[in-house]
Amino acid sequence: QFHEDGFLVLEHFFTTEECDSMRNQIQRIIAEMEVPPHCRTEFSTKEEEQLQAQGSSDYFLTSGDKIRFFFEKGVLDERGNFLIPKEKSISKIGHALHAYDPVFKQITHSSKVQELGRKLGLERPVVVQSMYIFKQPGIGGEVTPHQDATFLHTEPLGRVLGFWIALEDARQENGCLWFIPGSHTRGITRRMVRAASGASTCVEFVGSEPAYDNSQFIPLPISKGGLILIHGEVVHKSELNSSESSRHVFTFHVMEAKDTSWSKENWLQPTPELPFPSLYT
């Protein structure tokens, strides 16, 4: 099913207790969060805004081996002060929870995740990044149609896999994922790459995202504790969350490192402090 569709839904993969432990841990992290105003980056998936906000922000580009905070659009004034409580304004936390936080590290490397990797035939999987996504009530921004390999490029393609864990019920009302089944077989047409030194932004897009036919997308509602496996080239999106309930998710990406090269042009790079850790422990 996964190879045919490019995604797979596994309901009740994690227990309620495991989901709650992640949510409780993220509350502790937010309570201690200190983000200087000049580092407060509003997170967006729209191309021009991505280039402007993340592309010019060292805070984003150097977050691969750190735990950093990104905010929803419209929650900051021009001086970077919060217009609403900070815990309600946060869009996501990334990108190294899997490496530096004991709760998320344990989930990422849990025996059932490792067993799933082996069932999928992964021989040398490494964890490249992780994110906690909030999808805040009323303001949780839409995620435009995209392929993860646009941002996490490998040679050859087909070596990146997303693990997407619902920490609350994800329904159409609060912004569940939508997929185009089978769209992972057509390659990619767009890449986000590190820009040449001296450019006005630190990243740029090469190629363009095609216009997708909305009628091809199917929604994938999933209950708390469910896991969605996401092929690196499958086209997916999520809508704005206009409901009154959030849609918390922990997600991480794995690369099959055997006979694979990670693009030196990717925004995210392993560092001496944090080489990509093996999924198998």
Side-chain angles (χ1 to χ4, degrees):
Q1 191 75 48
F2 174 72
H3 292 301
E4 194 173 307
D5 289 339
F7 58 85
L8 184 66
V9 175
L10 298 168
E11 286 279 12
H12 310 301
F13 192 83
F14 289 95
T15 65
T16 300
E17 292 71 36
E18 286 170 318
C19 293
D20 292 345
S21 73
M22 288 186 264
R23 293 197 58 185
N24 293 337
Q25 185 69 353
I26 220 72
Q27 293 310 322
R28 284 193 281 273
I29 290 172
I30 292 174
E32 295 166 12
M33 164 175 81
E34 285 300 331
V35 184
H38 68 277
C39 291
R40 292 176 189 163
T41 301
E42 293 187 349
F43 189 74
S44 170
T45 62
K46 295 200 165 67
E47 186 166 310
E48 310 74 48
E49 292 170 357
Q50 272 182 328
L51 292 177
Q52 198 185 346
Q54 284 115 266
S56 56
S57 167
D58 212 36
Y59 185 79
F60 171 76
L61 273 188
T62 57
S63 64
D65 61 352
K66 300 176 187 69
I67 295 175
R68 293 214 163 142
F69 306 91
F70 303 92
F71 300 93
E72 288 291 356
K73 279 197 320 202
V75 300
L76 303 171
D77 67 16
E78 58 279 5
R79 293 191 297 278
N81 299 315
F82 292 107
L83 298 168
I84 59 175
K86 64 180 183 180
E87 65 277 4
K88 291 266 185 269
S89 63
I90 193 156
S91 164
K92 67 174 208 171
I93 297 177
H95 289 89
L97 286 162
H98 63 280
Y100 295 130
D101 182 273
V103 172
F104 292 99
K105 186 175 191 175
Q106 189 200 348
I107 291 288
T108 303
H109 297 279
S110 58
S111 55
K112 50 193 168 190
V113 168
Q114 296 191 39
E115 184 191 348
L116 187 54
R118 291 192 172 94
K119 282 183 175 165
L120 289 163
L122 300 176
E123 292 185 54
R124 277 183 39 219
V126 295
V127 186
V128 298
Q129 66 138 355
S130 56
M131 295 182 286
Y132 191 104
I133 302 170
F134 293 82
K135 203 78 161 175
Q136 299 281 6
I139 59 167
E142 72 166 320
V143 176
T144 53
H146 68 284
Q147 299 163 291
D148 293 343
T150 287
F151 308 94
L152 309 173
H153 192 268
T154 58
E155 298 280 343
L157 282 170
R159 301 302 171 91
V160 169
L161 175 65
F163 289 73
W164 193 94
I165 306 160
L167 305 183
E168 304 180 274
D169 292 349
R171 303 175 309 281
Q172 286 194 40
E173 301 78 60
N174 68 346
C176 71
L177 293 181
W178 295 66
F179 287 83
I180 299 180
S183 54
H184 61 301
T185 59
R186 299 172 208 152
I188 63 168
T189 58
R190 184 176 76 132
R191 286 184 58 193
M192 186 169 97
V193 299
R194 288 185 169 236
S197 58
S200 60
T201 59
C202 307
V203 292
E204 59 192 9
F205 283 99
V206 178
S208 59
E209 199 73 61
Y212 296 108
D213 177 356
N214 257 337
S215 67
Q216 293 185 297
F217 284 93
I218 62 162
L220 286 195
I222 189 166
S223 307
K224 177 178 178 173
L227 169 70
I228 302 179
L229 285 176
I230 304 175
H231 188 286
E233 282 115 83
V234 74
V235 178
H236 58 292
K237 66 173 184 174
S238 68
E239 306 288 349
L240 176 78
N241 179 7
S242 52
S243 79
E244 291 174 13
S245 53
S246 55
R247 189 221 67 188
H248 286 209
V249 165
F250 177 57
T251 179
F252 58 92
H253 284 90
V254 163
M255 172 181 72
E256 169 61 271
K258 183 173 186 252
D259 303 326
T260 308
S261 65
W262 180 256
S263 173
K264 292 267 188 286
E265 294 182 311
N266 286 338
W267 74 268
L268 174 79
Q269 294 295 327
T271 62
E273 297 76 32
L274 182 62
F276 293 150
S278 171
L279 181 68
Y280 301 150
T281 49

